[in-house]
Amino acid sequence: MSRFLHSGYHHPVLRIWQAGSSTNLADALLYPIFISDEDSCIENITTLPGQKRFGIQHLNSVLSPLVDDGLKAVLLFGVITKLDKDAAGSSATSPLNPVIKAIPIIRESFPSLLVVTDVCLCAYTSHGHCGILNEAGQIDSLKSMDAIAEVAAAHAKAGAHVVAPSDMMDGRIGAIKKHLLEINKINTVAVLSYSAKFASAFYGPFRDAAKSAPSSGDRKCYQLPPMSRGLAIRATQRDVDEGADMIMVKPGMAYLDIVRDLKNQFPHHPLAIYQVSGEYAMLFHAASNGVFDLETVVMETVGGMRRAGADIIISYFSPQILKWLKRDMQDKLSIADEK
């Protein structure tokens, strides 16, 4: 499946990302948003100040000003309160799933926007784990990778440009590529793999935002151990061999050495870094309490991520970054006009 290349550059934004970290910062941003199955919902996320869960009725009003500021790509996460959660995560592929309902709305309203969807089961399973469990409560790898591939196919059919499996199940990239081939989407849907996703304490606010915390146990048997440098390279190599179009390191700031390792090892694959919820909350609260200036510290951290080798920056600060960049550009134009 790694010989299918067209999926990696079928969209103008993907072609920009293929240029690597030399692209403008605004073009490199990927903004995560939480879509509720309550269509009229606007709900504050207390652990992620400034972020909200939105129902599909508000997508246009939320995204329009961001697109006007230069947003090029969104990463969609589904949050369910009305749909049922079961052991198989069946609501992940339901036509009533908020992500599946949101995709065509965004595609129609913002045709230039790249639509990326998170592919996982944790927000839809009754146990909160990212795969299917066997009778012993362990991950069933075969059932899990097939279920993840079915979710990716459902998103592709709905119109997603990129599917991003975050589950860390063995074999899921190959399974997704096989499903995309079967539904004739192999050339028009890219796969952004969460290839080096670590079992991190920085995910706490996200699990509240997405209502996806495991009901028992943890995810240390499938997410990577934080100190496992070699395993991060092996996991990414596995996904590249199975046909991943793009790769990722998650979380961000504590793993910049892994970003550099993967960029050195896989220089021809666009590399994303996820500045995760805990990193966002940490910087936000520190700045709110006068520890440092928010703009200065956010731009410093994002600059460090790009210096380490990241081509794509996934950040909840994307709206602020876009405004800061737009302001700076307007200031430069004003100075030029005065001359």
mmCIF file of all heavy atoms in Angstrom, residues 246-293:
data_model
loop_
_atom_site.group_PDB
_atom_site.id
_atom_site.type_symbol
_atom_site.label_atom_id
_atom_site.label_comp_id
_atom_site.label_asym_id
_atom_site.label_seq_id
_atom_site.Cartn_x
_atom_site.Cartn_y
_atom_site.Cartn_z
ATOM 1 N N MET A 246 1.264 10.487 5.970
ATOM 2 C CA MET A 246 1.871 11.440 6.892
ATOM 3 C C MET A 246 1.995 10.787 8.255
ATOM 4 O O MET A 246 1.249 9.855 8.559
ATOM 5 C CB MET A 246 0.999 12.708 6.987
ATOM 6 C CG MET A 246 0.894 13.490 5.684
ATOM 7 S SD MET A 246 -0.405 14.759 5.711
ATOM 8 C CE MET A 246 -1.879 13.751 5.454
ATOM 9 N N ILE A 247 2.917 11.293 9.074
ATOM 10 C CA ILE A 247 3.179 10.704 10.378
ATOM 11 C C ILE A 247 3.078 11.794 11.448
ATOM 12 O O ILE A 247 3.014 12.977 11.142
ATOM 13 C CB ILE A 247 4.556 10.007 10.416
ATOM 14 C CG1 ILE A 247 5.668 10.981 10.011
ATOM 15 C CG2 ILE A 247 4.541 8.777 9.510
ATOM 16 C CD1 ILE A 247 7.070 10.383 10.050
ATOM 17 N N MET A 248 3.068 11.388 12.722
ATOM 18 C CA MET A 248 2.826 12.343 13.807
ATOM 19 C C MET A 248 3.558 11.941 15.079
ATOM 20 O O MET A 248 3.758 10.750 15.347
ATOM 21 C CB MET A 248 1.316 12.415 14.111
ATOM 22 C CG MET A 248 0.930 13.505 15.112
ATOM 23 S SD MET A 248 -0.766 13.334 15.743
ATOM 24 C CE MET A 248 -1.730 13.430 14.251
ATOM 25 N N VAL A 249 3.916 12.969 15.852
ATOM 26 C CA VAL A 249 4.386 12.796 17.218
ATOM 27 C C VAL A 249 3.383 13.478 18.142
ATOM 28 O O VAL A 249 2.981 14.617 17.912
ATOM 29 C CB VAL A 249 5.786 13.407 17.422
ATOM 30 C CG1 VAL A 249 6.191 13.334 18.894
ATOM 31 C CG2 VAL A 249 6.811 12.703 16.545
ATOM 32 N N LYS A 250 2.986 12.782 19.194
ATOM 33 C CA LYS A 250 2.029 13.299 20.164
ATOM 34 C C LYS A 250 2.371 12.734 21.544
ATOM 35 O O LYS A 250 2.536 11.519 21.660
ATOM 36 C CB LYS A 250 0.602 12.875 19.759
ATOM 37 C CG LYS A 250 -0.490 13.351 20.702
ATOM 38 C CD LYS A 250 -1.853 12.807 20.289
ATOM 39 C CE LYS A 250 -2.933 13.292 21.261
ATOM 40 N NZ LYS A 250 -4.256 12.719 20.945
ATOM 41 N N PRO A 251 2.503 13.608 22.589
ATOM 42 C CA PRO A 251 2.412 15.065 22.637
ATOM 43 C C PRO A 251 3.579 15.770 21.957
ATOM 44 O O PRO A 251 4.383 15.136 21.286
ATOM 45 C CB PRO A 251 2.401 15.363 24.138
ATOM 46 C CG PRO A 251 2.103 14.084 24.811
ATOM 47 C CD PRO A 251 2.673 13.029 23.910
ATOM 48 N N GLY A 252 3.655 17.110 22.220
ATOM 49 C CA GLY A 252 4.627 17.916 21.515
ATOM 50 C C GLY A 252 5.868 18.261 22.302
ATOM 51 O O GLY A 252 6.940 17.696 22.099
ATOM 52 N N MET A 253 5.758 19.190 23.246
ATOM 53 C CA MET A 253 6.941 19.827 23.832
ATOM 54 C C MET A 253 7.906 18.859 24.494
ATOM 55 O O MET A 253 9.117 19.055 24.429
ATOM 56 C CB MET A 253 6.510 20.903 24.833
ATOM 57 C CG MET A 253 5.873 22.120 24.192
ATOM 58 S SD MET A 253 5.623 23.494 25.359
ATOM 59 C CE MET A 253 4.477 22.765 26.532
ATOM 60 N N ALA A 254 7.406 17.821 25.139
ATOM 61 C CA ALA A 254 8.281 16.880 25.836
ATOM 62 C C ALA A 254 8.905 15.849 24.897
ATOM 63 O O ALA A 254 9.705 15.017 25.339
ATOM 64 C CB ALA A 254 7.509 16.164 26.945
ATOM 65 N N TYR A 255 8.564 15.923 23.605
ATOM 66 C CA TYR A 255 8.991 14.882 22.667
ATOM 67 C C TYR A 255 9.639 15.462 21.407
ATOM 68 O O TYR A 255 9.593 14.848 20.341
ATOM 69 C CB TYR A 255 7.787 13.994 22.302
ATOM 70 C CG TYR A 255 7.248 13.247 23.492
ATOM 71 C CD1 TYR A 255 6.274 13.820 24.305
ATOM 72 C CD2 TYR A 255 7.751 11.994 23.843
ATOM 73 C CE1 TYR A 255 5.798 13.157 25.431
ATOM 74 C CE2 TYR A 255 7.279 11.329 24.964
ATOM 75 C CZ TYR A 255 6.300 11.915 25.758
ATOM 76 O OH TYR A 255 5.843 11.248 26.872
ATOM 77 N N LEU A 256 10.286 16.622 21.535
ATOM 78 C CA LEU A 256 10.916 17.229 20.363
ATOM 79 C C LEU A 256 12.103 16.413 19.857
ATOM 80 O O LEU A 256 12.433 16.470 18.673
ATOM 81 C CB LEU A 256 11.350 18.664 20.682
ATOM 82 C CG LEU A 256 10.224 19.659 20.984
ATOM 83 C CD1 LEU A 256 10.791 21.057 21.160
ATOM 84 C CD2 LEU A 256 9.165 19.651 19.891
ATOM 85 N N ASP A 257 12.737 15.643 20.756
ATOM 86 C CA ASP A 257 13.807 14.756 20.295
ATOM 87 C C ASP A 257 13.255 13.677 19.364
ATOM 88 O O ASP A 257 13.911 13.284 18.388
ATOM 89 C CB ASP A 257 14.536 14.116 21.476
ATOM 90 C CG ASP A 257 13.608 13.296 22.375
ATOM 91 O OD1 ASP A 257 12.443 13.709 22.580
ATOM 92 O OD2 ASP A 257 14.037 12.224 22.859
ATOM 93 N N ILE A 258 12.031 13.218 19.642
ATOM 94 C CA ILE A 258 11.404 12.211 18.785
ATOM 95 C C ILE A 258 11.037 12.833 17.436
ATOM 96 O O ILE A 258 11.172 12.183 16.390
ATOM 97 C CB ILE A 258 10.144 11.622 19.460
ATOM 98 C CG1 ILE A 258 10.482 11.065 20.856
ATOM 99 C CG2 ILE A 258 9.529 10.541 18.581
ATOM 100 C CD1 ILE A 258 11.505 9.951 20.854
ATOM 101 N N VAL A 259 10.592 14.075 17.458
ATOM 102 C CA VAL A 259 10.311 14.770 16.202
ATOM 103 C C VAL A 259 11.556 14.794 15.327
ATOM 104 O O VAL A 259 11.504 14.464 14.129
ATOM 105 C CB VAL A 259 9.819 16.211 16.468
ATOM 106 C CG1 VAL A 259 9.671 16.995 15.165
ATOM 107 C CG2 VAL A 259 8.484 16.197 17.218
ATOM 108 N N ARG A 260 12.687 15.164 15.907
ATOM 109 C CA ARG A 260 13.930 15.208 15.123
ATOM 110 C C ARG A 260 14.343 13.813 14.673
ATOM 111 O O ARG A 260 14.761 13.624 13.517
ATOM 112 C CB ARG A 260 15.019 15.881 15.959
ATOM 113 C CG ARG A 260 16.410 15.909 15.332
ATOM 114 C CD ARG A 260 16.428 16.231 13.861
ATOM 115 N NE ARG A 260 15.782 17.494 13.519
ATOM 116 C CZ ARG A 260 15.537 17.879 12.280
ATOM 117 N NH1 ARG A 260 15.849 17.082 11.260
ATOM 118 N NH2 ARG A 260 14.947 19.024 12.031
ATOM 119 N N ASP A 261 14.203 12.815 15.542
ATOM 120 C CA ASP A 261 14.529 11.435 15.150
ATOM 121 C C ASP A 261 13.710 11.009 13.933
ATOM 122 O O ASP A 261 14.243 10.451 12.964
ATOM 123 C CB ASP A 261 14.231 10.460 16.300
ATOM 124 C CG ASP A 261 15.270 10.492 17.398
ATOM 125 O OD1 ASP A 261 16.360 11.056 17.177
ATOM 126 O OD2 ASP A 261 14.985 9.951 18.491
ATOM 127 N N LEU A 262 12.395 11.263 13.985
ATOM 128 C CA LEU A 262 11.519 10.804 12.901
ATOM 129 C C LEU A 262 11.749 11.605 11.626
ATOM 130 O O LEU A 262 11.652 11.053 10.523
ATOM 131 C CB LEU A 262 10.052 10.884 13.338
ATOM 132 C CG LEU A 262 9.644 9.978 14.504
ATOM 133 C CD1 LEU A 262 8.126 9.992 14.689
ATOM 134 C CD2 LEU A 262 10.133 8.543 14.302
ATOM 135 N N LYS A 263 12.054 12.891 11.771
ATOM 136 C CA LYS A 263 12.324 13.682 10.564
ATOM 137 C C LYS A 263 13.610 13.202 9.894
ATOM 138 O O LYS A 263 13.705 13.163 8.663
ATOM 139 C CB LYS A 263 12.422 15.169 10.908
ATOM 140 C CG LYS A 263 12.287 16.070 9.668
ATOM 141 C CD LYS A 263 10.954 15.828 8.993
ATOM 142 C CE LYS A 263 10.781 16.612 7.716
ATOM 143 N NZ LYS A 263 9.516 16.289 7.036
ATOM 144 N N ASN A 264 14.585 12.823 10.692
ATOM 145 C CA ASN A 264 15.820 12.278 10.128
ATOM 146 C C ASN A 264 15.588 10.919 9.477
ATOM 147 O O ASN A 264 16.148 10.612 8.418
ATOM 148 C CB ASN A 264 16.886 12.142 11.219
ATOM 149 C CG ASN A 264 17.427 13.481 11.680
ATOM 150 O OD1 ASN A 264 17.304 14.492 10.980
ATOM 151 N ND2 ASN A 264 18.036 13.509 12.854
ATOM 152 N N GLN A 265 14.760 10.102 10.124
ATOM 153 C CA GLN A 265 14.517 8.741 9.642
ATOM 154 C C GLN A 265 13.574 8.712 8.449
ATOM 155 O O GLN A 265 13.727 7.881 7.556
ATOM 156 C CB GLN A 265 13.922 7.911 10.788
ATOM 157 C CG GLN A 265 13.811 6.422 10.513
ATOM 158 C CD GLN A 265 15.123 5.686 10.737
ATOM 159 O OE1 GLN A 265 16.072 6.274 11.248
ATOM 160 N NE2 GLN A 265 15.184 4.424 10.352
ATOM 161 N N PHE A 266 12.594 9.648 8.429
ATOM 162 C CA PHE A 266 11.577 9.658 7.364
ATOM 163 C C PHE A 266 11.460 11.070 6.775
ATOM 164 O O PHE A 266 10.428 11.725 6.892
ATOM 165 C CB PHE A 266 10.227 9.205 7.928
ATOM 166 C CG PHE A 266 10.282 7.897 8.674
ATOM 167 C CD1 PHE A 266 10.325 7.880 10.061
ATOM 168 C CD2 PHE A 266 10.324 6.692 7.984
ATOM 169 C CE1 PHE A 266 10.396 6.679 10.758
ATOM 170 C CE2 PHE A 266 10.401 5.483 8.665
ATOM 171 C CZ PHE A 266 10.435 5.475 10.054
ATOM 172 N N PRO A 267 12.510 11.540 6.124
ATOM 173 C CA PRO A 267 12.542 12.939 5.659
ATOM 174 C C PRO A 267 11.537 13.244 4.569
ATOM 175 O O PRO A 267 11.237 14.419 4.326
ATOM 176 C CB PRO A 267 13.979 13.109 5.156
ATOM 177 C CG PRO A 267 14.407 11.717 4.767
ATOM 178 C CD PRO A 267 13.755 10.820 5.762
ATOM 179 N N HIS A 268 11.017 12.224 3.911
ATOM 180 C CA HIS A 268 10.120 12.447 2.775
ATOM 181 C C HIS A 268 8.640 12.340 3.138
ATOM 182 O O HIS A 268 7.782 12.428 2.258
ATOM 183 C CB HIS A 268 10.455 11.456 1.656
ATOM 184 C CG HIS A 268 11.898 11.480 1.261
ATOM 185 N ND1 HIS A 268 12.535 12.625 0.864
ATOM 186 C CD2 HIS A 268 12.837 10.493 1.243
ATOM 187 C CE1 HIS A 268 13.810 12.355 0.603
ATOM 188 N NE2 HIS A 268 14.014 11.080 0.823
ATOM 189 N N HIS A 269 8.348 12.171 4.416
ATOM 190 C CA HIS A 269 6.955 12.124 4.889
ATOM 191 C C HIS A 269 6.638 13.390 5.674
ATOM 192 O O HIS A 269 7.372 13.730 6.612
ATOM 193 C CB HIS A 269 6.712 10.904 5.793
ATOM 194 C CG HIS A 269 6.513 9.626 5.039
ATOM 195 N ND1 HIS A 269 7.533 9.006 4.356
ATOM 196 C CD2 HIS A 269 5.399 8.867 4.858
ATOM 197 C CE1 HIS A 269 7.059 7.898 3.795
ATOM 198 N NE2 HIS A 269 5.765 7.801 4.076
ATOM 199 N N PRO A 270 5.572 14.106 5.335
ATOM 200 C CA PRO A 270 5.162 15.233 6.176
ATOM 201 C C PRO A 270 4.958 14.770 7.614
ATOM 202 O O PRO A 270 4.343 13.735 7.869
ATOM 203 C CB PRO A 270 3.844 15.688 5.540
ATOM 204 C CG PRO A 270 3.959 15.270 4.100
ATOM 205 C CD PRO A 270 4.703 13.963 4.141
ATOM 206 N N LEU A 271 5.498 15.560 8.540
ATOM 207 C CA LEU A 271 5.500 15.179 9.948
ATOM 208 C C LEU A 271 4.683 16.187 10.750
ATOM 209 O O LEU A 271 4.962 17.383 10.744
ATOM 210 C CB LEU A 271 6.937 15.130 10.469
ATOM 211 C CG LEU A 271 7.156 14.915 11.962
ATOM 212 C CD1 LEU A 271 6.516 13.622 12.431
ATOM 213 C CD2 LEU A 271 8.649 14.907 12.286
ATOM 214 N N ALA A 272 3.663 15.687 11.451
ATOM 215 C CA ALA A 272 2.820 16.522 12.302
ATOM 216 C C ALA A 272 3.262 16.391 13.753
ATOM 217 O O ALA A 272 3.805 15.364 14.166
ATOM 218 C CB ALA A 272 1.355 16.111 12.163
ATOM 219 N N ILE A 273 3.005 17.445 14.503
ATOM 220 C CA ILE A 273 3.195 17.406 15.949
ATOM 221 C C ILE A 273 1.916 17.927 16.585
ATOM 222 O O ILE A 273 1.310 18.879 16.086
ATOM 223 C CB ILE A 273 4.421 18.237 16.383
ATOM 224 C CG1 ILE A 273 4.693 18.063 17.877
ATOM 225 C CG2 ILE A 273 4.246 19.711 16.036
ATOM 226 C CD1 ILE A 273 6.031 18.664 18.328
ATOM 227 N N TYR A 274 1.492 17.293 17.651
ATOM 228 C CA TYR A 274 0.245 17.665 18.322
ATOM 229 C C TYR A 274 0.583 18.339 19.649
ATOM 230 O O TYR A 274 1.068 17.696 20.571
ATOM 231 C CB TYR A 274 -0.614 16.417 18.557
ATOM 232 C CG TYR A 274 -2.093 16.667 18.790
ATOM 233 C CD1 TYR A 274 -3.049 15.794 18.280
ATOM 234 C CD2 TYR A 274 -2.539 17.767 19.522
ATOM 235 C CE1 TYR A 274 -4.414 16.010 18.490
ATOM 236 C CE2 TYR A 274 -3.895 17.981 19.737
ATOM 237 C CZ TYR A 274 -4.824 17.103 19.226
ATOM 238 O OH TYR A 274 -6.168 17.325 19.441
ATOM 239 N N GLN A 275 0.328 19.653 19.710
ATOM 240 C CA GLN A 275 0.433 20.374 20.970
ATOM 241 C C GLN A 275 -0.861 20.092 21.727
ATOM 242 O O GLN A 275 -1.884 20.728 21.518
ATOM 243 C CB GLN A 275 0.608 21.874 20.712
ATOM 244 C CG GLN A 275 0.872 22.689 21.958
ATOM 245 C CD GLN A 275 1.044 24.157 21.640
ATOM 246 O OE1 GLN A 275 0.228 24.755 20.940
ATOM 247 N NE2 GLN A 275 2.112 24.756 22.149
ATOM 248 N N VAL A 276 -0.805 19.128 22.623
ATOM 249 C CA VAL A 276 -2.024 18.518 23.145
ATOM 250 C C VAL A 276 -2.683 19.379 24.227
ATOM 251 O O VAL A 276 -2.167 20.422 24.645
ATOM 252 C CB VAL A 276 -1.754 17.097 23.677
ATOM 253 C CG1 VAL A 276 -1.247 16.197 22.565
ATOM 254 C CG2 VAL A 276 -0.779 17.120 24.849
ATOM 255 N N SER A 277 -3.826 18.886 24.695
ATOM 256 C CA SER A 277 -4.685 19.659 25.596
ATOM 257 C C SER A 277 -3.970 20.088 26.871
ATOM 258 O O SER A 277 -4.146 21.211 27.349
ATOM 259 C CB SER A 277 -5.932 18.844 25.933
ATOM 260 O OG SER A 277 -5.575 17.608 26.546
ATOM 261 N N GLY A 278 -3.173 19.203 27.446
ATOM 262 C CA GLY A 278 -2.466 19.551 28.674
ATOM 263 C C GLY A 278 -1.433 20.634 28.452
ATOM 264 O O GLY A 278 -1.213 21.499 29.323
ATOM 265 N N GLU A 279 -0.772 20.612 27.309
ATOM 266 C CA GLU A 279 0.184 21.662 26.973
ATOM 267 C C GLU A 279 -0.530 22.995 26.803
ATOM 268 O O GLU A 279 -0.063 24.039 27.287
ATOM 269 C CB GLU A 279 0.927 21.294 25.690
ATOM 270 C CG GLU A 279 1.755 20.031 25.780
ATOM 271 C CD GLU A 279 2.318 19.638 24.423
ATOM 272 O OE1 GLU A 279 3.253 20.289 23.948
ATOM 273 O OE2 GLU A 279 1.806 18.658 23.835
ATOM 274 N N TYR A 280 -1.661 22.965 26.100
ATOM 275 C CA TYR A 280 -2.470 24.166 25.903
ATOM 276 C C TYR A 280 -2.909 24.738 27.246
ATOM 277 O O TYR A 280 -2.740 25.934 27.526
ATOM 278 C CB TYR A 280 -3.680 23.827 25.041
ATOM 279 C CG TYR A 280 -4.730 24.921 24.958
ATOM 280 C CD1 TYR A 280 -4.657 25.908 23.981
ATOM 281 C CD2 TYR A 280 -5.797 24.962 25.862
ATOM 282 C CE1 TYR A 280 -5.621 26.920 23.907
ATOM 283 C CE2 TYR A 280 -6.759 25.953 25.798
ATOM 284 C CZ TYR A 280 -6.668 26.926 24.817
ATOM 285 O OH TYR A 280 -7.616 27.914 24.757
ATOM 286 N N ALA A 281 -3.485 23.892 28.097
ATOM 287 C CA ALA A 281 -3.996 24.356 29.389
ATOM 288 C C ALA A 281 -2.873 24.897 30.263
ATOM 289 O O ALA A 281 -3.044 25.914 30.962
ATOM 290 C CB ALA A 281 -4.723 23.210 30.095
ATOM 291 N N MET A 282 -1.727 24.240 30.236
ATOM 292 C CA MET A 282 -0.585 24.670 31.046
ATOM 293 C C MET A 282 -0.143 26.081 30.647
ATOM 294 O O MET A 282 0.038 26.962 31.503
ATOM 295 C CB MET A 282 0.564 23.675 30.860
ATOM 296 C CG MET A 282 1.825 23.991 31.615
ATOM 297 S SD MET A 282 3.022 22.642 31.495
ATOM 298 C CE MET A 282 3.325 22.620 29.715
ATOM 299 N N LEU A 283 0.022 26.317 29.356
ATOM 300 C CA LEU A 283 0.447 27.633 28.875
ATOM 301 C C LEU A 283 -0.631 28.688 29.115
ATOM 302 O O LEU A 283 -0.336 29.820 29.520
ATOM 303 C CB LEU A 283 0.802 27.565 27.390
ATOM 304 C CG LEU A 283 1.982 26.668 27.007
ATOM 305 C CD1 LEU A 283 2.196 26.692 25.498
ATOM 306 C CD2 LEU A 283 3.251 27.079 27.737
ATOM 307 N N PHE A 284 -1.893 28.311 28.860
ATOM 308 C CA PHE A 284 -2.999 29.249 29.032
ATOM 309 C C PHE A 284 -3.095 29.726 30.486
ATOM 310 O O PHE A 284 -3.179 30.936 30.757
ATOM 311 C CB PHE A 284 -4.305 28.588 28.604
ATOM 312 C CG PHE A 284 -5.505 29.492 28.657
ATOM 313 C CD1 PHE A 284 -5.948 30.143 27.517
ATOM 314 C CD2 PHE A 284 -6.189 29.706 29.849
ATOM 315 C CE1 PHE A 284 -7.047 30.989 27.562
ATOM 316 C CE2 PHE A 284 -7.292 30.547 29.912
ATOM 317 C CZ PHE A 284 -7.730 31.196 28.759
ATOM 318 N N HIS A 285 -3.084 28.785 31.428
ATOM 319 C CA HIS A 285 -3.251 29.145 32.840
ATOM 320 C C HIS A 285 -2.036 29.918 33.355
ATOM 321 O O HIS A 285 -2.192 30.866 34.149
ATOM 322 C CB HIS A 285 -3.474 27.897 33.682
ATOM 323 C CG HIS A 285 -4.825 27.279 33.490
ATOM 324 N ND1 HIS A 285 -5.998 27.954 33.731
ATOM 325 C CD2 HIS A 285 -5.194 26.028 33.077
ATOM 326 C CE1 HIS A 285 -7.034 27.176 33.478
ATOM 327 N NE2 HIS A 285 -6.572 26.001 33.074
ATOM 328 N N ALA A 286 -0.847 29.535 32.926
ATOM 329 C CA ALA A 286 0.348 30.260 33.366
ATOM 330 C C ALA A 286 0.322 31.700 32.874
ATOM 331 O O ALA A 286 0.604 32.637 33.632
ATOM 332 C CB ALA A 286 1.602 29.548 32.878
ATOM 333 N N ALA A 287 -0.049 31.882 31.608
ATOM 334 C CA ALA A 287 -0.132 33.241 31.058
ATOM 335 C C ALA A 287 -1.240 34.036 31.747
ATOM 336 O O ALA A 287 -1.075 35.239 32.019
ATOM 337 C CB ALA A 287 -0.364 33.188 29.555
ATOM 338 N N SER A 288 -2.359 33.388 32.038
ATOM 339 C CA SER A 288 -3.477 34.066 32.700
ATOM 340 C C SER A 288 -3.103 34.548 34.096
ATOM 341 O O SER A 288 -3.695 35.504 34.618
ATOM 342 C CB SER A 288 -4.687 33.129 32.794
ATOM 343 O OG SER A 288 -5.149 32.779 31.514
ATOM 344 N N ASN A 289 -2.103 33.902 34.703
ATOM 345 C CA ASN A 289 -1.662 34.282 36.043
ATOM 346 C C ASN A 289 -0.378 35.113 36.022
ATOM 347 O O ASN A 289 0.298 35.252 37.052
ATOM 348 C CB ASN A 289 -1.458 33.025 36.897
ATOM 349 C CG ASN A 289 -2.780 32.423 37.353
ATOM 350 O OD1 ASN A 289 -3.372 32.888 38.315
ATOM 351 N ND2 ASN A 289 -3.250 31.399 36.636
ATOM 352 N N GLY A 290 -0.047 35.662 34.852
ATOM 353 C CA GLY A 290 1.059 36.598 34.754
ATOM 354 C C GLY A 290 2.443 35.988 34.743
ATOM 355 O O GLY A 290 3.442 36.693 34.905
ATOM 356 N N VAL A 291 2.544 34.675 34.555
ATOM 357 C CA VAL A 291 3.854 34.030 34.551
ATOM 358 C C VAL A 291 4.664 34.465 33.332
ATOM 359 O O VAL A 291 5.874 34.693 33.409
ATOM 360 C CB VAL A 291 3.700 32.496 34.579
ATOM 361 C CG1 VAL A 291 5.050 31.801 34.465
ATOM 362 C CG2 VAL A 291 2.991 32.070 35.860
ATOM 363 N N PHE A 292 4.013 34.579 32.186
ATOM 364 C CA PHE A 292 4.650 35.056 30.965
ATOM 365 C C PHE A 292 3.578 35.544 30.012
ATOM 366 O O PHE A 292 2.373 35.373 30.267
ATOM 367 C CB PHE A 292 5.518 33.974 30.303
ATOM 368 C CG PHE A 292 4.931 32.583 30.297
ATOM 369 C CD1 PHE A 292 3.692 32.314 29.714
ATOM 370 C CD2 PHE A 292 5.614 31.513 30.876
ATOM 371 C CE1 PHE A 292 3.147 31.045 29.702
ATOM 372 C CE2 PHE A 292 5.076 30.233 30.873
ATOM 373 C CZ PHE A 292 3.846 29.999 30.283
ATOM 374 N N ASP A 293 4.005 36.159 28.923
ATOM 375 C CA ASP A 293 3.088 36.649 27.900
ATOM 376 C C ASP A 293 2.670 35.504 26.996
ATOM 377 O O ASP A 293 3.523 34.753 26.500
ATOM 378 C CB ASP A 293 3.780 37.735 27.073
ATOM 379 C CG ASP A 293 2.913 38.223 25.924
ATOM 380 O OD1 ASP A 293 1.919 38.904 26.177
ATOM 381 O OD2 ASP A 293 3.237 37.860 24.761
#
